[in-house]
């Protein structure tokens, strides 16, 4: 008899954890597991990427705004609830967080999770962890997935009254899964948690699908110069504000390059304003793309300017596509690129270090060629079948 698994995530919008969940759910052994993916909010571009063998359910329907997709000329949702910032949206966000801080998650659980599952998995920090921790199913194994360094990225704290309540929530789980060793150690440190209850499982990345998608042609932008590319939500965590300030400095150094930024998010208007105010002509905000891989492949270097990560899905994807990576030193990067940065350029997590690293590689062709060759060796460590098997072993253990 197949074991029943429930994965709960906030939305299936455009994000690393969301993409990882789709990869995992689609590739798990369906002869052994009956899989349901449930979202708190029924939105997200990745919903349609779940295969037919995965059940999809949701808790709440709320209005969302659709964006024009340049590739298909149609309107579609990126899955980001608040793509741009405004005073009204800030008020709505704070109200939403206030509700989740004080609402009874046991009532939410009873209202929406009717079936009995063998495994109940909160696949994201914060709201989903609160809901699954309130489970009334005494027979299920409860697992919480941690995707980010919770000391440096405190977003999930906003749905808890205090840190004590957050710790109590995670104490109710049988197992905590961290996506990297650094994420594990930061979780243990923050909550003074029992280390043996926290396991590390790397994100499953579908390398064949990525390579296949990357072979498509780009028809909405022409590559004219040496090109940097980055993909991520336009939000403070991803550090695009400081990346633009770095680009402005590099332009004043008379270095020739373009930067493509792929993604949507609440900082979009701020980034556009900075670009316009400083007459930056070599940065292209390309918006949401259903297939970012063809842009990464066409570029010369992938840049990650994040202030915090867990185990970056998109940096892993760039490695698979054989792109040299320049990244700030946040969680997971040394596990992806080598503890000493053997396979990519890892700089200190600040604006000045990012500037120096980019200037160095843009000015030094030999260094660029070195990392271009080293990344070829690294791509083969990513195998989705092995990653999924390791997660299935966790469930069976």
């Amino acid at each position: 008899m197949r074991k029943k698994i429930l994965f709960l995530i906030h939305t299936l919008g455009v994000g690393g954890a969301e993409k990882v969940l789709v990869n995992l759910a689609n590739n798990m052994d369906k002869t052994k597991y009956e899989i349901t993916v449930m979202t708190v909010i029924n939105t997200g571009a990745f919903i349609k990427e779940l295969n037919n063998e995965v059940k999809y359910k949701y808790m709440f329907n709320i209005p969302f705004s659709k964006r024009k997709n340049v590739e298909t000329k149609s309107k579609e949702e990126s899955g980001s609830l608040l793509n741009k910032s405004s005073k009204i949206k800030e008020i709505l966000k704070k109200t939403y967080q206030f509700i989740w801080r004080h609402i009874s998650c046991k009532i939410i659980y009873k209202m929406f999770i009717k079936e009995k599952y063998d495994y109940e998995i909160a696949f994201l920090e914060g709201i989903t962890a609160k809901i699954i921790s309130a489970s009334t199913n005494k027979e299920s194994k409860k697992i919480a997935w941690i995707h980010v360094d919770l000391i440096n990225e405190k977003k999930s704290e906003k749905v808890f009254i205090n840190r004590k309540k957050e710790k109590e929530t995670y104490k109710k789980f049988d197992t905590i899964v961290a996506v990297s060793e650094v994420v594990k150690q930061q979780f243990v440190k923050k909550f003074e948690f029992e280390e043996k209850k926290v396991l590390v499982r790397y994100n499953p990345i579908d390398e064949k699908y990525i390579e296949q998608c990357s072979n498509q042609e780009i028809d909405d932008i022409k590559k004219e110069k040496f090109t940097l590319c980055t993909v991520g939500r336009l939000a403070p965590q991803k550090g695009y504000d400081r990346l633009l300030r770095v680009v402005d400095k590099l332009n004043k150094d008379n270095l020739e390059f373009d930067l493509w930024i792929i993604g949507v998010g609440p900082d979009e208007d701020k980034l556009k304003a900075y670009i316009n105010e400083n007459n930056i002509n070599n940065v292209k905000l390309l918006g949401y793309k259903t297939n970012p891989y063809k842009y990464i492949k066409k570029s010369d270097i992938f840049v990650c300017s994040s202030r915090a990560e867990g185990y970056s899905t998109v940096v892993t994807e760039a490695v698979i596509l054989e792109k040299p990576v320049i990244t700030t030193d946040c969680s997971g990067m040394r596990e992806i690129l080598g503890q000493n940065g053997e396979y990519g350029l890892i700089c200190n997590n600040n604006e000045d270090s990012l500037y120096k690293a980019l200037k160095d590689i843009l000015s030094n062709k030999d260094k660029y060629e070195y990392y271009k060759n080293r990344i070829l060796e690294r791509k083969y460590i990513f195998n989705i079948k092995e990653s999924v098997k390791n997660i299935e072993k966790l469930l069976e253990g």
Side-chain angles (χ1 to χ4, degrees):
M1 188 173 175
R2 293 192 298 168
K3 297 283 188 181
K4 294 179 70 175
I5 301 175
L6 172 69
F7 289 103
L8 182 65
I9 195 165
H10 190 234
T11 75
L12 278 175
V14 181
E18 293 81 0
K19 183 61 179 174
V20 166
L21 177 53
V22 170
N23 285 337
L24 177 57
N26 285 347
N27 285 280
M28 288 183 75
D29 187 345
K30 304 305 187 299
T31 65
K32 291 163 63 178
Y33 305 108
E34 180 184 315
I35 298 167
T36 299
V37 171
M38 179 182 282
T39 57
V40 177
I41 307 295
N42 181 30
T43 186
F46 288 150
I47 293 171
K48 61 189 177 186
E49 292 193 22
L50 290 168
N51 67 32
N52 294 331
E53 295 179 290
V54 178
K55 294 180 182 178
Y56 173 69
K57 295 182 179 182
Y58 61 86
M59 293 182 176
F60 300 102
N61 250 329
I62 66 170
F64 55 83
S65 60
K66 292 192 174 183
R67 306 174 59 86
K68 187 172 182 181
N69 185 330
V70 178
E71 297 162 290
T72 62
K73 311 298 182 187
S74 63
K75 293 275 188 176
E76 63 179 48
E77 55 175 313
S78 70
S80 296
L81 292 174
L82 300 172
N83 281 334
K84 295 185 180 182
S85 61
S86 69
K87 287 184 179 179
I88 292 173
K89 286 183 177 179
E90 281 299 311
I91 292 168
L92 288 173
K93 183 169 73 172
K94 287 178 180 176
T95 303
Y96 187 70
Q97 290 166 348
F98 178 84
I99 290 168
W100 281 108
R101 258 198 313 275
H102 297 282
I103 199 169
S104 168
C105 284
K106 189 163 279 190
I107 292 173
I108 297 295
Y109 181 92
K110 286 180 178 179
M111 284 176 64
F112 296 103
I113 302 178
K114 305 288 188 183
E115 287 187 58
K116 294 291 183 184
Y117 296 94
D118 298 291
Y119 303 94
E120 296 179 308
I121 301 173
F123 206 72
L124 207 58
E125 310 83 11
I127 292 169
T128 61
K130 289 188 77 170
I131 295 169
I132 295 299
S133 74
S135 169
T136 55
N137 180 0
K138 294 181 180 178
E139 304 301 316
S140 69
K141 183 174 181 179
K142 295 162 191 68
I143 301 171
W145 235 267
I146 309 299
H147 290 269
V148 73
D149 170 352
L150 287 178
I151 290 178
N152 288 312
E153 175 49 63
K154 305 182 191 308
K155 188 166 61 175
S156 66
E157 289 183 0
K158 293 174 182 176
V159 298
F160 292 95
I161 293 171
N162 53 45
R163 185 174 293 189
K164 182 183 176 184
K165 290 291 183 184
E166 191 174 7
K167 181 178 179 178
E168 286 172 3
T169 291
Y170 287 114
K171 284 288 216 179
K172 293 175 184 176
F173 287 88
D174 299 292
T175 304
I176 307 294
V177 177
V179 297
S180 73
E181 287 291 343
V182 176
V183 167
K184 172 183 174 176
Q185 294 307 322
Q186 294 290 79
F187 181 88
V188 169
K189 181 180 177 182
K190 179 172 182 175
F191 298 115
E192 299 175 331
F193 217 78
E194 193 177 354
E195 194 163 347
K196 68 180 182 181
K197 280 186 70 175
V198 187
L199 305 177
V200 174
R201 289 295 183 274
Y202 294 128
N203 292 334
I205 307 294
D206 193 339
E207 70 278 8
K208 290 180 181 177
Y209 172 79
I210 290 165
E211 288 174 342
Q212 180 184 345
C213 290
S214 73
N215 291 324
Q216 294 179 13
E217 289 298 317
I218 295 174
D219 56 12
D220 61 319
I221 192 166
K222 187 177 179 182
K223 184 176 185 291
E224 296 175 331
K225 302 176 187 173
F226 191 90
T227 301
L228 315 178
C229 183
T230 185
V231 181
R233 191 161 182 263
L234 307 185
Q237 178 193 339
K238 300 300 180 181
Y240 292 137
D241 55 328
R242 63 181 178 180
L243 180 57
L244 288 185
R245 291 192 292 272
V246 165
V247 168
D248 192 30
K249 290 179 187 176
L250 294 169
N251 288 343
K252 288 169 183 172
D253 293 330
N254 297 314
L255 290 165
E256 287 285 317
F257 66 96
D258 282 330
L259 169 64
W260 296 345
I261 300 178
I262 297 170
V264 294
D267 280 0
E268 187 172 335
D269 289 339
K270 292 178 185 176
L271 298 178
K272 284 180 177 177
Y274 185 88
I275 289 167
N276 292 333
E277 287 165 10
N278 292 277
N279 298 312
I280 299 173
N281 300 314
N282 59 334
V283 174
K284 310 295 180 189
L285 292 174
L286 299 179
Y288 165 65
K289 299 294 180 187
T290 54
N291 176 11
Y293 310 117
K294 59 185 180 181
Y295 296 89
I296 297 173
K297 185 170 183 178
K298 198 78 173 175
S299 69
D300 298 291
I301 291 177
F302 187 86
V303 182
C304 175
S305 55
S306 293
R307 292 181 167 92
E309 287 288 344
Y311 188 87
S312 175
T313 299
V314 71
V315 167
T316 306
E317 292 167 342
V319 173
I320 289 167
L321 294 174
E322 302 177 355
K323 292 296 133 184
V325 174
I326 295 179
T327 178
T328 49
D329 192 0
C330 43
S331 299
M333 295 306 176
R334 294 186 183 275
E335 288 161 76
I336 298 170
L337 298 170
Q339 286 302 314
N340 298 308
E342 298 94 326
Y343 302 98
L345 206 168
I346 303 173
C347 66
N348 291 333
N349 200 337
N350 60 65
E351 190 174 315
D352 188 54
S353 294
L354 183 60
Y355 163 68
K356 288 175 181 175
L358 279 167
K359 184 176 182 179
D360 188 19
I361 207 160
L362 288 168
S363 307
N364 190 333
K365 188 177 180 182
D366 288 342
K367 182 164 276 191
Y368 169 70
E369 291 296 331
Y370 170 81
Y371 284 115
K372 189 176 178 182
N373 289 325
R374 289 310 305 270
I375 209 70
L376 301 177
E377 303 168 33
R378 197 61 170 170
K379 65 177 285 188
Y380 297 105
I381 71 166
F382 304 110
N383 182 295
I384 192 166
K385 288 183 180 178
E386 287 302 313
S387 298
V388 172
K389 276 183 187 175
N390 286 333
I391 290 169
E392 290 179 349
K393 285 177 187 175
L394 178 151
L395 297 178
E396 294 160 7

